[in-house]
Amino acid sequence: MKKFEFQFESVLKMRRHKRSLCRQLLGQILQTDQRLLDQRLQLEGLRQEQFREIRLRQSEGVVDIDGATSLRFYAGQLQAQIQNVIANRKNLEKQIIAGRQALARSEQDVKAMEKLSDKHRDKFLYVQNRKEEMELEETWAATQRTGAVR
């Protein structure tokens, strides 16, 4: 029996490769987003720690203006970094959406080619089975004729 060869196998491979690249790129973007989220949580924790330190120093009854000022200044710097991370995540969100759309399109392209491949394979198998049936019928008919001649 002949082996099935899909005539558009190279196109299917190319589309699978493109899908793989889309997955890889989206994964990298999502990793970056997670790193930014972790960074934001860390910065917010540090900022809250600064405010707790300020409250702790004021509860002791002694007001350290220089210390409180430096803690507030550092908390302000942390807030600016948090805002920067938030802005970066917003920009990254656009890339995530575009990456997901590209992945969805490439998935559709691959599925379409796989469906076409399945149709061609089914047709090929049907034709091969019909050929085998015809050969078997011819063989059977030939044996019947040779048996009738004797």
Side-chain angles (χ1 to χ4, degrees), residues 18-30:
K18 181 181 174 187
R19 177 183 63 184
S20 177
L21 290 176
C22 286
R23 284 179 179 162
Q24 188 177 22
L25 181 62
L26 182 59
Q28 289 172 349
I29 293 169
L30 290 173

Side-chain angles (χ1 to χ4, degrees), residues 75-126:
Q77 287 179 328
L78 291 172
Q79 183 61 34
Q81 290 177 6
I82 290 169
Q83 293 304 319
N84 189 25
V85 168
I86 289 171
N88 288 342
R89 285 195 72 212
K90 282 184 182 179
N91 290 336
L92 204 57
E93 184 64 31
K94 294 172 187 172
Q95 292 178 10
I96 291 171
I97 291 169
R100 285 184 174 150
Q101 289 172 347
L103 180 59
R105 279 192 305 274
S106 65
E107 286 281 354
Q108 288 174 345
D109 291 345
V110 168
K111 285 182 183 180
M113 289 305 293
E114 286 174 343
K115 194 172 187 179
L116 183 62
S117 175
D118 290 343
K119 283 183 180 180
H120 283 210
R121 182 178 294 109
D122 291 346
K123 184 178 178 182
F124 173 80
L125 291 174
Y126 175 77

Side-chain angles (χ1 to χ4, degrees), residues 46-76:
L46 287 172
R47 185 171 179 267
Q48 291 301 319
E49 193 176 304
Q50 299 308 307
F51 286 123
R52 276 193 296 274
E53 182 66 26
I54 291 170
R55 276 188 238 104
L56 180 69
R57 287 184 181 186
Q58 289 176 350
S59 68
E60 295 172 353
V62 178
V63 178
D64 179 13
I65 295 178
D66 289 336
T69 302
S70 67
L71 289 173
R72 286 191 188 280
F73 179 74
Y74 182 55

